Amino acid sequence: MALLVFNSASQTTSFSFIMLRFILICVTLHGSNLVAATMYPRPNIVLILTDDLDVSIGGMIPLAKTKKLIGEAGITFTNTFVASPLCCPSRASILTGKYPHNHHVVNNTLEGNCSSVAWQKTQEPNTFPAFLQKHGAYQTFFAGKYLNEYGNTEAGGVEHVPPGWDHWFALERNSKYYNYTLSVNGRPQRHGQNYSEDYLTDVLANISIDFLENKSNRRPFFMMVSTPAPHSPWMAAPQYENSFPNVKAPRDPNFNIHGKDKHWLIRQAKTPMKNSSIEFLDNAYRKRWRTLLSVDDMVEKVVRKLEVRGELSNTYVIFTSDNGYHTGQFSLPMDKRQLYEFDIRVPLLVRGPSIKPNQTSSLLIANVDLGPTILDIAGYNVNETQMDGMSFLPIMIGTGNSSTWRSDMLVEYEGEGRNISDPACPLLGPGVSECFPDCVCEDSYNNTYACVRTVLQTANLQYCEFDDNEVFVEVYNLTADPFQLTNIAKSIDQEVLEKMNHRLMMLQSCSAQTCRTPGVYDSQFKFDPRLMFASLNTHRNKLRQTVK
């Protein structure tokens, strides 16, 4: 080591300067992650999830502020679909980034793995919020409806707080507006029916604003707000109870007509519907819209709070739904669970850093893509997870190649039916459920199907197979038939039918990376028979055996 001797003030100053530079270099080298984090902070992420919000029959019309503050400020995806048109399986797909055959949540019951002990042990540790929290960078917040059976005493009650959440305000069980219990970080908080203190959509808005006001400013945040609206029981805030007095469910070409070439469950619907049924569904349609006005207010409050705090420009805000809905289509009074556009298509609006305003994309997005996209925004390598979806962040910010994006996705549903006859509808026999007073049933044990939904410039198709005794098939060309009036399964080219059948089997047996392979109409598509499994669903014969 050289011996340095300083005999003057100028030499002392020079030594101090050298030492300062040395210290700065050491700090930079040894704390490069800290410096990078300070100079290039990770973006914040807000996910707003609605419940039963359709996009095909006008569900977005009441949400004027949401469309302006998120859609017009960013990108709207017009072809977004759910992996299953039912609350709990769909929400499980959002959280895990997996198709139902991989997360094994098949319906809204504890027996169907909805928030069960098995779900908690095998899937919850691998949700995207768990990844965000595990790596320590993001502070995480949840408020609202989680999974339909959350809080069940047989699965830990409201004391159970899933891994991944620093701040937890979860609704016990299914959607409500009044008279409910929240799990506040594992402790029950009961609410009554006082509007100013208990109306759930507003409570979620207030909790969210409190979080934004009091969170740490040293770390980025992920916030998920899951509203009850517009799910039943459709209770509007007092100021909106008389809104939309003349609105009716849209009379589209598939409204109140017989689905003569469809699965037997659709064919059993009575056409034309009774006037009482139409009056009931029109009233429900209006009530659904009324509940959405409070959601619109909540979105505005959250966006404005981010703006006031100077955080909006560095925050991705995502708005979507867990499934769609129908009111009178093919003479089914109202529900979800069916394979048609009105039940599987949902809204998806996103604003955020590097997303240009007023964009629209027709690329095919699946709700299994939400988790991978959020992880990608947070800087994590999705390929290190077992998620089936893919990140659409490159599409939003203009760095992705749309020509290499996926061309198809999988939709799966396992029907539910009681093993005894409905006393009001004895002629239908056992195996049906969700029956209305005029004996139109919305579900059955053999309403079990899987579909390939294909969206390309050259093809807009849906291919579905039912797991029933006749192995019923439905195929729709949505370019020529957007309302799915005509099932072309018996007239379509046999080679195309076989290819779509093969593709369905591939997707039903896929996992992680193999779920992202090109589809039938992609030039890169090559069918590998080794991917065909003999048995694709361990649950599918359970209910059938009980009703023999």
Side-chain angles (χ1 to χ4, degrees), residues 284-306:
Y285 191 88
R286 283 189 290 274
K287 288 181 176 180
R288 284 166 52 80
W289 272 26
R290 290 165 182 163
T291 68
L292 287 170
L293 294 176
S294 293
V295 175
D296 213 29
D297 291 341
M298 185 191 78
V299 170
E300 181 182 41
K301 290 176 184 176
V302 169
V303 171
R304 295 305 182 207
K305 174 58 72 171
L306 290 167

PDB file of all heavy atoms in Angstrom, residues 284-306:
ATOM      1  N   ALA A 284     -84.548  -7.246 -12.732  1.00  0.00           N
ATOM      2  CA  ALA A 284     -83.198  -7.613 -12.280  1.00  0.00           C
ATOM      3  C   ALA A 284     -82.132  -6.863 -13.078  1.00  0.00           C
ATOM      4  O   ALA A 284     -81.126  -6.423 -12.520  1.00  0.00           O
ATOM      5  CB  ALA A 284     -82.995  -9.121 -12.420  1.00  0.00           C
ATOM      6  N   TYR A 285     -82.359  -6.693 -14.363  1.00  0.00           N
ATOM      7  CA  TYR A 285     -81.406  -5.978 -15.222  1.00  0.00           C
ATOM      8  C   TYR A 285     -81.224  -4.543 -14.737  1.00  0.00           C
ATOM      9  O   TYR A 285     -80.098  -4.031 -14.642  1.00  0.00           O
ATOM     10  CB  TYR A 285     -81.903  -6.012 -16.668  1.00  0.00           C
ATOM     11  CG  TYR A 285     -80.890  -5.542 -17.682  1.00  0.00           C
ATOM     12  CD1 TYR A 285     -79.981  -6.434 -18.238  1.00  0.00           C
ATOM     13  CD2 TYR A 285     -80.845  -4.211 -18.094  1.00  0.00           C
ATOM     14  CE1 TYR A 285     -79.057  -6.014 -19.183  1.00  0.00           C
ATOM     15  CE2 TYR A 285     -79.925  -3.789 -19.029  1.00  0.00           C
ATOM     16  CZ  TYR A 285     -79.036  -4.687 -19.570  1.00  0.00           C
ATOM     17  OH  TYR A 285     -78.122  -4.268 -20.501  1.00  0.00           O
ATOM     18  N   ARG A 286     -82.350  -3.882 -14.435  1.00  0.00           N
ATOM     19  CA  ARG A 286     -82.279  -2.506 -13.922  1.00  0.00           C
ATOM     20  C   ARG A 286     -81.537  -2.460 -12.585  1.00  0.00           C
ATOM     21  O   ARG A 286     -80.697  -1.580 -12.356  1.00  0.00           O
ATOM     22  CB  ARG A 286     -83.683  -1.938 -13.733  1.00  0.00           C
ATOM     23  CG  ARG A 286     -84.373  -1.501 -15.002  1.00  0.00           C
ATOM     24  CD  ARG A 286     -85.656  -0.754 -14.707  1.00  0.00           C
ATOM     25  NE  ARG A 286     -86.690  -1.636 -14.165  1.00  0.00           N
ATOM     26  CZ  ARG A 286     -87.521  -2.355 -14.929  1.00  0.00           C
ATOM     27  NH1 ARG A 286     -87.422  -2.317 -16.242  1.00  0.00           N
ATOM     28  NH2 ARG A 286     -88.449  -3.111 -14.363  1.00  0.00           N
ATOM     29  N   LYS A 287     -81.836  -3.401 -11.699  1.00  0.00           N
ATOM     30  CA  LYS A 287     -81.203  -3.417 -10.383  1.00  0.00           C
ATOM     31  C   LYS A 287     -79.693  -3.642 -10.503  1.00  0.00           C
ATOM     32  O   LYS A 287     -78.909  -3.055  -9.747  1.00  0.00           O
ATOM     33  CB  LYS A 287     -81.835  -4.512  -9.515  1.00  0.00           C
ATOM     34  CG  LYS A 287     -83.251  -4.193  -9.040  1.00  0.00           C
ATOM     35  CD  LYS A 287     -83.796  -5.323  -8.176  1.00  0.00           C
ATOM     36  CE  LYS A 287     -85.166  -4.985  -7.623  1.00  0.00           C
ATOM     37  NZ  LYS A 287     -85.711  -6.084  -6.778  1.00  0.00           N
ATOM     38  N   ARG A 288     -79.295  -4.493 -11.437  1.00  0.00           N
ATOM     39  CA  ARG A 288     -77.860  -4.724 -11.648  1.00  0.00           C
ATOM     40  C   ARG A 288     -77.165  -3.422 -12.054  1.00  0.00           C
ATOM     41  O   ARG A 288     -76.096  -3.081 -11.541  1.00  0.00           O
ATOM     42  CB  ARG A 288     -77.666  -5.803 -12.724  1.00  0.00           C
ATOM     43  CG  ARG A 288     -77.924  -7.213 -12.234  1.00  0.00           C
ATOM     44  CD  ARG A 288     -78.062  -8.204 -13.392  1.00  0.00           C
ATOM     45  NE  ARG A 288     -76.963  -8.139 -14.337  1.00  0.00           N
ATOM     46  CZ  ARG A 288     -75.767  -8.710 -14.161  1.00  0.00           C
ATOM     47  NH1 ARG A 288     -75.520  -9.385 -13.047  1.00  0.00           N
ATOM     48  NH2 ARG A 288     -74.820  -8.620 -15.080  1.00  0.00           N
ATOM     49  N   TRP A 289     -77.762  -2.712 -12.969  1.00  0.00           N
ATOM     50  CA  TRP A 289     -77.186  -1.427 -13.398  1.00  0.00           C
ATOM     51  C   TRP A 289     -77.080  -0.449 -12.224  1.00  0.00           C
ATOM     52  O   TRP A 289     -76.100   0.293 -12.114  1.00  0.00           O
ATOM     53  CB  TRP A 289     -78.052  -0.834 -14.502  1.00  0.00           C
ATOM     54  CG  TRP A 289     -77.686  -1.291 -15.887  1.00  0.00           C
ATOM     55  CD1 TRP A 289     -77.070  -2.465 -16.226  1.00  0.00           C
ATOM     56  CD2 TRP A 289     -77.908  -0.580 -17.098  1.00  0.00           C
ATOM     57  NE1 TRP A 289     -76.915  -2.525 -17.581  1.00  0.00           N
ATOM     58  CE2 TRP A 289     -77.416  -1.388 -18.148  1.00  0.00           C
ATOM     59  CE3 TRP A 289     -78.490   0.641 -17.408  1.00  0.00           C
ATOM     60  CZ2 TRP A 289     -77.479  -0.999 -19.492  1.00  0.00           C
ATOM     61  CZ3 TRP A 289     -78.563   1.039 -18.743  1.00  0.00           C
ATOM     62  CH2 TRP A 289     -78.051   0.228 -19.764  1.00  0.00           C
ATOM     63  N   ARG A 290     -78.094  -0.415 -11.379  1.00  0.00           N
ATOM     64  CA  ARG A 290     -78.093   0.518 -10.249  1.00  0.00           C
ATOM     65  C   ARG A 290     -76.940   0.242  -9.289  1.00  0.00           C
ATOM     66  O   ARG A 290     -76.312   1.163  -8.768  1.00  0.00           O
ATOM     67  CB  ARG A 290     -79.433   0.451  -9.521  1.00  0.00           C
ATOM     68  CG  ARG A 290     -80.591   1.028 -10.324  1.00  0.00           C
ATOM     69  CD  ARG A 290     -81.933   0.619  -9.748  1.00  0.00           C
ATOM     70  NE  ARG A 290     -83.044   1.131 -10.562  1.00  0.00           N
ATOM     71  CZ  ARG A 290     -84.288   0.688 -10.506  1.00  0.00           C
ATOM     72  NH1 ARG A 290     -84.597  -0.289  -9.643  1.00  0.00           N
ATOM     73  NH2 ARG A 290     -85.228   1.192 -11.287  1.00  0.00           N
ATOM     74  N   THR A 291     -76.647  -1.044  -9.045  1.00  0.00           N
ATOM     75  CA  THR A 291     -75.532  -1.356  -8.150  1.00  0.00           C
ATOM     76  C   THR A 291     -74.197  -0.913  -8.746  1.00  0.00           C
ATOM     77  O   THR A 291     -73.249  -0.618  -8.013  1.00  0.00           O
ATOM     78  CB  THR A 291     -75.462  -2.867  -7.847  1.00  0.00           C
ATOM     79  OG1 THR A 291     -75.103  -3.599  -9.026  1.00  0.00           O
ATOM     80  CG2 THR A 291     -76.777  -3.386  -7.302  1.00  0.00           C
ATOM     81  N   LEU A 292     -74.123  -0.869 -10.069  1.00  0.00           N
ATOM     82  CA  LEU A 292     -72.870  -0.505 -10.733  1.00  0.00           C
ATOM     83  C   LEU A 292     -72.534   0.975 -10.595  1.00  0.00           C
ATOM     84  O   LEU A 292     -71.374   1.369 -10.739  1.00  0.00           O
ATOM     85  CB  LEU A 292     -72.935  -0.887 -12.219  1.00  0.00           C
ATOM     86  CG  LEU A 292     -72.848  -2.396 -12.505  1.00  0.00           C
ATOM     87  CD1 LEU A 292     -73.176  -2.678 -13.960  1.00  0.00           C
ATOM     88  CD2 LEU A 292     -71.478  -2.931 -12.147  1.00  0.00           C
ATOM     89  N   LEU A 293     -73.522   1.799 -10.318  1.00  0.00           N
ATOM     90  CA  LEU A 293     -73.239   3.232 -10.158  1.00  0.00           C
ATOM     91  C   LEU A 293     -72.335   3.475  -8.955  1.00  0.00           C
ATOM     92  O   LEU A 293     -71.494   4.384  -8.971  1.00  0.00           O
ATOM     93  CB  LEU A 293     -74.549   4.003 -10.032  1.00  0.00           C
ATOM     94  CG  LEU A 293     -75.422   4.001 -11.292  1.00  0.00           C
ATOM     95  CD1 LEU A 293     -76.749   4.706 -11.025  1.00  0.00           C
ATOM     96  CD2 LEU A 293     -74.701   4.660 -12.468  1.00  0.00           C
ATOM     97  N   SER A 294     -72.467   2.674  -7.915  1.00  0.00           N
ATOM     98  CA  SER A 294     -71.568   2.803  -6.756  1.00  0.00           C
ATOM     99  C   SER A 294     -70.170   2.288  -7.083  1.00  0.00           C
ATOM    100  O   SER A 294     -69.177   2.800  -6.562  1.00  0.00           O
ATOM    101  CB  SER A 294     -72.144   2.041  -5.559  1.00  0.00           C
ATOM    102  OG  SER A 294     -73.335   2.654  -5.104  1.00  0.00           O
ATOM    103  N   VAL A 295     -70.089   1.273  -7.944  1.00  0.00           N
ATOM    104  CA  VAL A 295     -68.775   0.812  -8.411  1.00  0.00           C
ATOM    105  C   VAL A 295     -68.090   1.926  -9.190  1.00  0.00           C
ATOM    106  O   VAL A 295     -66.885   2.186  -9.027  1.00  0.00           O
ATOM    107  CB  VAL A 295     -68.917  -0.450  -9.286  1.00  0.00           C
ATOM    108  CG1 VAL A 295     -67.564  -0.858  -9.872  1.00  0.00           C
ATOM    109  CG2 VAL A 295     -69.519  -1.599  -8.486  1.00  0.00           C
ATOM    110  N   ASP A 296     -68.856   2.607 -10.035  1.00  0.00           N
ATOM    111  CA  ASP A 296     -68.321   3.722 -10.812  1.00  0.00           C
ATOM    112  C   ASP A 296     -67.778   4.820  -9.896  1.00  0.00           C
ATOM    113  O   ASP A 296     -66.706   5.389 -10.136  1.00  0.00           O
ATOM    114  CB  ASP A 296     -69.424   4.278 -11.715  1.00  0.00           C
ATOM    115  CG  ASP A 296     -68.906   4.808 -13.044  1.00  0.00           C
ATOM    116  OD1 ASP A 296     -67.868   4.303 -13.521  1.00  0.00           O
ATOM    117  OD2 ASP A 296     -69.539   5.720 -13.603  1.00  0.00           O
ATOM    118  N   ASP A 297     -68.515   5.100  -8.823  1.00  0.00           N
ATOM    119  CA  ASP A 297     -68.048   6.095  -7.838  1.00  0.00           C
ATOM    120  C   ASP A 297     -66.755   5.632  -7.169  1.00  0.00           C
ATOM    121  O   ASP A 297     -65.839   6.432  -6.945  1.00  0.00           O
ATOM    122  CB  ASP A 297     -69.119   6.312  -6.763  1.00  0.00           C
ATOM    123  CG  ASP A 297     -70.358   7.011  -7.290  1.00  0.00           C
ATOM    124  OD1 ASP A 297     -70.276   7.643  -8.365  1.00  0.00           O
ATOM    125  OD2 ASP A 297     -71.408   6.921  -6.636  1.00  0.00           O
ATOM    126  N   MET A 298     -66.681   4.337  -6.851  1.00  0.00           N
ATOM    127  CA  MET A 298     -65.490   3.807  -6.198  1.00  0.00           C
ATOM    128  C   MET A 298     -64.263   3.936  -7.099  1.00  0.00           C
ATOM    129  O   MET A 298     -63.180   4.324  -6.643  1.00  0.00           O
ATOM    130  CB  MET A 298     -65.710   2.340  -5.825  1.00  0.00           C
ATOM    131  CG  MET A 298     -64.566   1.732  -5.023  1.00  0.00           C
ATOM    132  SD  MET A 298     -64.695  -0.060  -4.882  1.00  0.00           S
ATOM    133  CE  MET A 298     -64.112  -0.531  -6.515  1.00  0.00           C
ATOM    134  N   VAL A 299     -64.422   3.594  -8.367  1.00  0.00           N
ATOM    135  CA  VAL A 299     -63.309   3.721  -9.317  1.00  0.00           C
ATOM    136  C   VAL A 299     -62.829   5.169  -9.369  1.00  0.00           C
ATOM    137  O   VAL A 299     -61.618   5.446  -9.330  1.00  0.00           O
ATOM    138  CB  VAL A 299     -63.733   3.239 -10.718  1.00  0.00           C
ATOM    139  CG1 VAL A 299     -62.676   3.601 -11.760  1.00  0.00           C
ATOM    140  CG2 VAL A 299     -63.975   1.731 -10.717  1.00  0.00           C
ATOM    141  N   GLU A 300     -63.773   6.094  -9.427  1.00  0.00           N
ATOM    142  CA  GLU A 300     -63.399   7.511  -9.474  1.00  0.00           C
ATOM    143  C   GLU A 300     -62.625   7.916  -8.220  1.00  0.00           C
ATOM    144  O   GLU A 300     -61.607   8.622  -8.301  1.00  0.00           O
ATOM    145  CB  GLU A 300     -64.649   8.371  -9.621  1.00  0.00           C
ATOM    146  CG  GLU A 300     -64.339   9.865  -9.710  1.00  0.00           C
ATOM    147  CD  GLU A 300     -65.593  10.709  -9.808  1.00  0.00           C
ATOM    148  OE1 GLU A 300     -66.572  10.400  -9.088  1.00  0.00           O
ATOM    149  OE2 GLU A 300     -65.593  11.671 -10.596  1.00  0.00           O
ATOM    150  N   LYS A 301     -63.081   7.473  -7.045  1.00  0.00           N
ATOM    151  CA  LYS A 301     -62.404   7.829  -5.802  1.00  0.00           C
ATOM    152  C   LYS A 301     -60.966   7.307  -5.776  1.00  0.00           C
ATOM    153  O   LYS A 301     -60.046   8.018  -5.366  1.00  0.00           O
ATOM    154  CB  LYS A 301     -63.182   7.279  -4.605  1.00  0.00           C
ATOM    155  CG  LYS A 301     -64.499   7.972  -4.338  1.00  0.00           C
ATOM    156  CD  LYS A 301     -65.251   7.288  -3.196  1.00  0.00           C
ATOM    157  CE  LYS A 301     -66.628   7.913  -2.976  1.00  0.00           C
ATOM    158  NZ  LYS A 301     -67.392   7.191  -1.919  1.00  0.00           N
ATOM    159  N   VAL A 302     -60.788   6.066  -6.197  1.00  0.00           N
ATOM    160  CA  VAL A 302     -59.450   5.462  -6.174  1.00  0.00           C
ATOM    161  C   VAL A 302     -58.526   6.180  -7.143  1.00  0.00           C
ATOM    162  O   VAL A 302     -57.384   6.519  -6.800  1.00  0.00           O
ATOM    163  CB  VAL A 302     -59.535   3.952  -6.496  1.00  0.00           C
ATOM    164  CG1 VAL A 302     -58.144   3.370  -6.735  1.00  0.00           C
ATOM    165  CG2 VAL A 302     -60.228   3.203  -5.368  1.00  0.00           C
ATOM    166  N   VAL A 303     -59.003   6.422  -8.359  1.00  0.00           N
ATOM    167  CA  VAL A 303     -58.162   7.097  -9.365  1.00  0.00           C
ATOM    168  C   VAL A 303     -57.826   8.509  -8.919  1.00  0.00           C
ATOM    169  O   VAL A 303     -56.668   8.960  -9.040  1.00  0.00           O
ATOM    170  CB  VAL A 303     -58.862   7.090 -10.740  1.00  0.00           C
ATOM    171  CG1 VAL A 303     -58.098   7.970 -11.741  1.00  0.00           C
ATOM    172  CG2 VAL A 303     -58.965   5.664 -11.281  1.00  0.00           C
ATOM    173  N   ARG A 304     -58.795   9.236  -8.381  1.00  0.00           N
ATOM    174  CA  ARG A 304     -58.545  10.613  -7.934  1.00  0.00           C
ATOM    175  C   ARG A 304     -57.569  10.652  -6.763  1.00  0.00           C
ATOM    176  O   ARG A 304     -56.722  11.543  -6.667  1.00  0.00           O
ATOM    177  CB  ARG A 304     -59.857  11.292  -7.555  1.00  0.00           C
ATOM    178  CG  ARG A 304     -60.821  11.505  -8.706  1.00  0.00           C
ATOM    179  CD  ARG A 304     -60.206  12.261  -9.854  1.00  0.00           C
ATOM    180  NE  ARG A 304     -61.158  12.512 -10.942  1.00  0.00           N
ATOM    181  CZ  ARG A 304     -60.821  12.662 -12.206  1.00  0.00           C
ATOM    182  NH1 ARG A 304     -59.536  12.570 -12.555  1.00  0.00           N
ATOM    183  NH2 ARG A 304     -61.734  12.880 -13.129  1.00  0.00           N
ATOM    184  N   LYS A 305     -57.681   9.680  -5.846  1.00  0.00           N
ATOM    185  CA  LYS A 305     -56.746   9.627  -4.717  1.00  0.00           C
ATOM    186  C   LYS A 305     -55.324   9.377  -5.212  1.00  0.00           C
ATOM    187  O   LYS A 305     -54.364   9.999  -4.735  1.00  0.00           O
ATOM    188  CB  LYS A 305     -57.182   8.555  -3.726  1.00  0.00           C
ATOM    189  CG  LYS A 305     -56.207   8.307  -2.577  1.00  0.00           C
ATOM    190  CD  LYS A 305     -55.923   9.564  -1.749  1.00  0.00           C
ATOM    191  CE  LYS A 305     -57.082   9.975  -0.908  1.00  0.00           C
ATOM    192  NZ  LYS A 305     -56.751  11.070   0.054  1.00  0.00           N
ATOM    193  N   LEU A 306     -55.171   8.472  -6.164  1.00  0.00           N
ATOM    194  CA  LEU A 306     -53.848   8.228  -6.747  1.00  0.00           C
ATOM    195  C   LEU A 306     -53.311   9.488  -7.416  1.00  0.00           C
ATOM    196  O   LEU A 306     -52.115   9.799  -7.334  1.00  0.00           O
ATOM    197  CB  LEU A 306     -53.929   7.090  -7.766  1.00  0.00           C
ATOM    198  CG  LEU A 306     -54.164   5.687  -7.209  1.00  0.00           C
ATOM    199  CD1 LEU A 306     -54.537   4.717  -8.324  1.00  0.00           C
ATOM    200  CD2 LEU A 306     -52.924   5.185  -6.466  1.00  0.00           C
TER     201      LEU A 306
END
